[in-house]
Amino acid sequence: MRKLDRRQGLMLCAAGLLMVVMLTVFVRLGTTHILVKRVHMDNFITQTVLCGSEDLQKIKKSEDESVKIEWEKAYPFADIDRVKKREWLLAQKIEKKAENIEKRIDEWTGKKLLGYYKLAEAGRGYADGIGWGLIRPDKDALLPFGDGAWTFVYPRDKDAIQEKSASLFDLAQTVAENGGQFLYIQAPFKVDPYGDLAVNGRFDFSNQNCDDLLEQLQAHGIATLDLRQDLHRWAQAEHSSYHDYFFRTDHHWKPETALRAAKVVGDKLREYDIPVDDSHYDLQQFDVEVLPDYFLGSQGKRATLSRATPDDFSILHPKFPTEITLDIPEKNIHDSGDFELVYDKKHVERCDYYNLNPYAMYGYGDMQVMDIENLLMPPTDKKVLLIKDSFCDTMAPMLSLGIRNLMTLDVRHFTGSVKNYIAVHKPEVVIVMYTGSLSGRIDWSSHKDKFDFR
């Protein structure tokens, strides 16, 4: 029998380890689908095999409570966009199949792999230990600030900015044709536009992209509001770090920051003759429930717990009387009650760093359509439409505390025509409010790009 050399022995060990890893995947897969889902077994054996994953140890009543809304029928595209619509519907069908395959693979290598997150944490820790801190100059690359906070970084992209400013200009014309006024609001990015010199303009160019976009919009006569300036002023006046207004492990701002931003936006809406009561935009008007070490954001999940420390998570409870009507067709919600109707508490029912997203508690996360009517404000037929990304998941509910009628639209998930939606509802003010991740050309094929306003 030929003796194996050291290299061959190591290769056999690696191959054996891979076989063991795959065996655990299939054992956990079989346990989940046969013993738990079919036999309804819940005992020491299943709990041991499926340890580390509460979701796999129980039968879920519903994977997704969302209702499929055919928005393209309610708000059909104009003839000029119909041919393009067929193209992206085909692309969407193909993309959906690819997403399903990717989701299955991710589930197999994630939930079904015993100790997956511990292995990921060990890998990240090892990379830190050997000083392998390379920063990829790619979109969404992850970078530590050095103070416990993390950020994504984005490249400079002048061509993309020109395309996006043109799309916003076209939307502004549509709003004007329907008797409304248009406003673009630049939500802040986690990199301080007037600081963070080790990152700003070296690894990340989000603020430069934002500057370019605002300059081009203003050159077209489009009204703008730059919340980055407000945030920087708050940090200077309060002797705080710019990063303190964001979660350390997530790219979003904190609910307390979103409340302050709502006041700035409310003040701006007065210029458009929208009745605004800003008396409830003060943090002193809320009881703040703090869940300590409860939230591991998108950046923290990628860094893993070996490198990132979880954030505290705040839930703001109004001390004052509230009465709203909330409509979220996607969730089949058409209810009236107090303000906390806008809170989806399932995201904070337990602490689960890798599988739950507490931030999505506010406003139910990225909903296609959400309407909030504040019944304690004087009746008015004036409506505000907020076209938003996830930064407004927290701000939109807060903003509704001071105005009567707030409509929100997330273009990334809305499958109908934005132009038709505006033509039907004719809001007095249309706001587009996006954060600073602006690099990358518009994807006109899928109708999921947040700058596709057809």
Side-chain angles (χ1 to χ4, degrees):
M1 183 174 178
R2 187 169 65 89
K3 186 177 180 181
L4 297 176
D5 60 26
R6 184 170 178 272
R7 179 173 175 274
Q8 291 172 326
L10 289 173
M11 289 177 66
L12 283 174
C13 288
L17 180 60
L18 286 174
M19 291 295 293
V20 171
V21 167
M22 290 305 300
L23 182 61
T24 65
V25 170
F26 285 110
V27 169
R28 285 162 68 90
L29 186 66
T31 303
T32 301
H33 289 277
I34 298 174
L35 298 184
V36 176
K37 291 187 176 181
R38 293 181 182 272
V39 185
H40 306 298
M41 184 182 292
D42 182 11
N43 56 27
F44 176 77
I45 295 174
T46 59
Q47 291 172 12
T48 301
V49 173
L50 301 177
C51 65
S53 179
E54 287 186 30
D55 287 342
L56 296 180
Q57 295 177 33
K58 58 187 178 183
I59 302 170
K60 296 181 182 179
K61 293 181 180 179
S62 173
E63 287 292 333
D64 189 356
E65 299 173 355
S66 298
V67 177
K68 180 175 174 56
I69 308 293
E70 295 183 338
W71 293 112
E72 61 272 20
K73 291 184 178 180
Y75 302 98
F77 289 78
D79 291 339
I80 192 170
D81 293 324
R82 198 158 286 144
V83 175
K84 294 179 180 178
K85 176 177 173 290
R86 291 195 196 102
E87 294 174 357
W88 66 253
L89 277 175
L90 177 61
Q92 190 178 48
K93 187 175 181 180
I94 297 171
E95 183 182 3
K96 188 67 177 177
K97 288 185 178 180
E99 285 178 353
N100 288 337
I101 294 172
E102 183 180 356
K103 184 178 179 180
R104 286 189 175 187
I105 293 173
D106 182 63
E107 184 178 292
W108 272 47
T109 58
K111 290 184 178 179
K112 303 295 190 296
L113 177 58
L114 182 64
Y116 170 77
Y117 293 117
K118 292 298 181 184
L119 290 172
E121 290 169 10
R124 299 292 192 275
Y126 177 74
D128 274 357
I130 63 174
W132 197 356
L134 298 177
I135 300 172
R136 298 177 294 108
D138 302 336
K139 180 181 177 182
D140 287 337
L142 186 64
L143 181 70
F145 279 116
D147 59 357
W150 296 80
T151 187
F152 294 130
V153 298
Y154 294 88
R156 189 76 179 269
D157 201 337
K158 292 187 176 183
D159 291 339
I161 298 304
Q162 289 181 346
E163 185 181 29
K164 289 171 179 177
S165 66
S167 185
L168 285 165
F169 179 66
D170 183 59
L171 176 64
Q173 288 182 309
T174 298
V175 173
E177 289 166 1
N178 286 279
Q181 302 178 79
F182 181 77
L183 172 67
Y184 178 78
I185 300 180
Q186 184 58 66
F189 192 67
K190 203 168 179 179
V191 177
D192 187 348
Y194 308 106
D196 286 331
L197 299 181
V199 177
N200 187 24
R202 294 187 62 196
F203 296 109
D204 175 69
F205 295 87
S206 300
N207 286 301
Q208 289 72 19
N209 290 333
C210 292
D211 293 340
D212 290 345
L213 180 63
L214 292 171
E215 182 180 349
Q216 292 177 27
L217 293 177
Q218 291 161 6
H220 282 101
I222 294 177
T224 64
L225 175 64
D226 189 357
L227 289 176
R228 297 176 303 163
Q229 297 177 359
D230 295 274
L231 199 59
H232 182 79
R233 283 196 295 268
W234 299 339
Q236 292 291 302
E238 296 161 13
H239 305 288
S240 298
S241 166
Y242 189 85
H243 309 151
D244 289 343
Y245 299 88
F246 299 81
F247 292 106
R248 291 191 313 274
T249 67
D250 198 63
H251 56 293
H252 295 111
W253 52 18
K254 297 176 180 177
E256 295 90 338
T257 313
L259 177 65
R260 296 179 70 169
K263 184 180 188 309
V264 177
V265 175
D267 290 342
K268 187 68 176 179
L269 284 173
R270 285 199 183 93
E271 299 176 15
Y272 295 87
D273 296 324
I274 299 295
V276 178
D277 178 3
D278 66 358
S279 62
H280 298 319
Y281 294 148
D282 187 342
L283 189 60
Q284 300 302 317
Q285 296 282 321
F286 294 80
D287 288 319
V288 182
E289 177 186 359
V290 178
L291 305 178
D293 300 330
Y294 209 81
F295 178 38
L296 190 67
S298 57
Q299 295 157 349
K301 284 181 172 66
R302 191 185 297 184
T304 76
L305 289 170
S306 68
R307 306 171 73 193
T309 303
D311 285 281
D312 294 343
F313 188 79
S314 299
I315 304 175
L316 307 188
H317 302 284
K319 296 179 181 178
F320 48 89
T322 57
E323 186 178 356
I324 66 169
T325 295
L326 178 68
D327 285 291
I328 307 178
E330 186 181 352
K331 292 291 184 183
N332 198 25
I333 294 175
H334 310 280
D335 293 332
S336 295
D338 64 25
F339 175 74
E340 299 202 14
L341 277 177
V342 301
Y343 290 168
D344 186 2
K345 293 292 185 65
K346 74 179 182 182
H347 293 285
V348 291
E349 63 185 7
R350 70 179 193 276
C351 181
D352 188 336
Y353 293 129
Y354 292 111
N355 295 304
L356 290 180
N357 177 21
Y359 184 84
M361 184 207 76
Y362 284 90
Y364 285 77
D366 299 336
M367 291 294 98
Q368 302 166 7
V369 170
M370 179 176 70
D371 296 342
I372 306 175
E373 184 178 6
N374 185 343
L375 301 176
L376 298 185
M377 285 289 293
T380 177
D381 58 355
K382 293 186 175 182
K383 295 170 287 190
V384 176
L385 172 60
L386 175 63
I387 299 177
K388 67 181 187 69
D389 60 16
S390 57
F391 253 65
C392 291
D393 292 349
T394 44
M395 197 212 69
M398 303 303 173
L399 181 64
S400 73
L401 290 168
I403 63 177
R404 177 76 187 201
N405 300 307
L406 178 65
M407 309 161 61
T408 73
L409 203 63
D410 193 324
V411 176
R412 298 169 300 174
H413 307 287
F414 181 70
T415 57
S417 167
V418 177
K419 292 180 179 179
N420 195 336
Y421 191 88
I422 291 171
V424 169
H425 294 284
K426 297 190 183 301
E428 273 62 37
V429 180
V430 175
I431 298 172
V432 172
M433 179 171 166
Y434 287 158
T435 188
S437 52
L438 300 174
S439 60
R441 300 296 294 267
I442 297 175
D443 177 7
W444 296 105
S445 66
S446 66
H447 198 61
K448 288 185 177 181
D449 195 294
K450 66 182 184 180
F451 282 90
D452 183 354
F453 303 113
R454 289 177 293 179

